[in-house]
Amino acid sequence: MNGTMNYYELLGVKQNATEEEIKIAYKEQMKKWHPDINKSDDAVLISAKINEAKEVLLNADKRRDYDEYLSKKTEENYNRYTQRKAYEKQSKTDADNHEEMLTKWQYLKIWLKFANYKPIRKILGVIGVLLESFLCYIIKMLLIFFAFICNMGSYLIRTLFNYLSPIIGLMLVLLVIQIFTNGFEYIMENNMSLLGGTLICVIVYVCSIFLPLVSKLILSPKVFDVLYNKIDINLFKKCVGYKD
């Protein structure tokens, strides 16, 4: 038996167990761990812990305080997961010694173990967390894919322009000559194909310059910070019923 278990785990009961269930569970555990029965080295320590559990859980005031303690520990673990301070008034010295941050899945495991919800609520919570994690994963993949398309598109456009630069240059020269000789209105009326083709080439080339900047913006830390802190964590908090 793990010595780090809480009193409910020691007795093998749920947190909302009745007094009768606790008494029955206590008797069952003592049959296994009483030093007169169990000769292992841990029997004395574990049987003492089981007696402590019984004393606390069968006393209404002590049990209420113990439940608040478990709830507080769960909240502290959540604060570690969200990188929030466990207490509003934390000294500067304590702030320099950051606790190891929990992952979302570690916190979910703790929530499932300690949260005082009905099983159906926990099942719905797990389903919600899985769905929101899948949604955030899809968004991340789409961002990465779109950034890749931007970079690849810019590369292909510039490569194409390197091969077509003589033709494009000739089109620009012809356009400029016709504008100076016949005027812009003449081009608009009689040679729209040359004007349109030239404008399209210019627009496409300008896009090839800005596409890498768009890609860099998409993959910026700020975008992923918004995705993680504004979407992922907020949805996670709603799934597990956490209230600020």
Side-chain angles (χ1 to χ4, degrees), residues 153-193:
S154 175
Y155 171 77
L156 292 175
I157 291 171
R158 294 189 181 209
T159 301
L160 183 62
F161 266 74
N162 286 336
Y163 287 106
L164 298 179
S165 56
I167 299 174
I168 296 172
L170 180 61
M171 289 173 59
L172 288 172
V173 171
L174 290 174
L175 181 63
V176 172
I177 291 174
Q178 290 199 26
I179 290 175
F180 276 104
T181 56
N182 301 317
F184 188 75
E185 292 182 359
Y186 175 82
I187 299 296
M188 293 288 292
E189 293 177 359
N190 301 290
N191 209 344
M192 278 295 295
S193 59

Side-chain angles (χ1 to χ4, degrees), residues 173-234:
V173 171
L174 290 174
L175 181 63
V176 172
I177 291 174
Q178 290 199 26
I179 290 175
F180 276 104
T181 56
N182 301 317
F184 188 75
E185 292 182 359
Y186 175 82
I187 299 296
M188 293 288 292
E189 293 177 359
N190 301 290
N191 209 344
M192 278 295 295
S193 59
L194 178 62
L195 179 62
T198 304
L199 287 175
I200 290 173
C201 290
V202 172
I203 292 172
V204 171
Y205 187 76
V206 171
C207 287
S208 72
I209 296 174
F210 284 99
L211 283 176
L213 299 178
V214 174
S215 173
K216 187 176 181 180
L217 177 64
I218 292 172
L219 297 180
S220 66
K222 185 176 181 179
V223 170
F224 278 87
D225 177 68
V226 170
L227 178 63
Y228 177 74
N229 290 310
K230 298 296 188 296
I231 299 177
D232 193 4
I233 286 185
N234 283 334

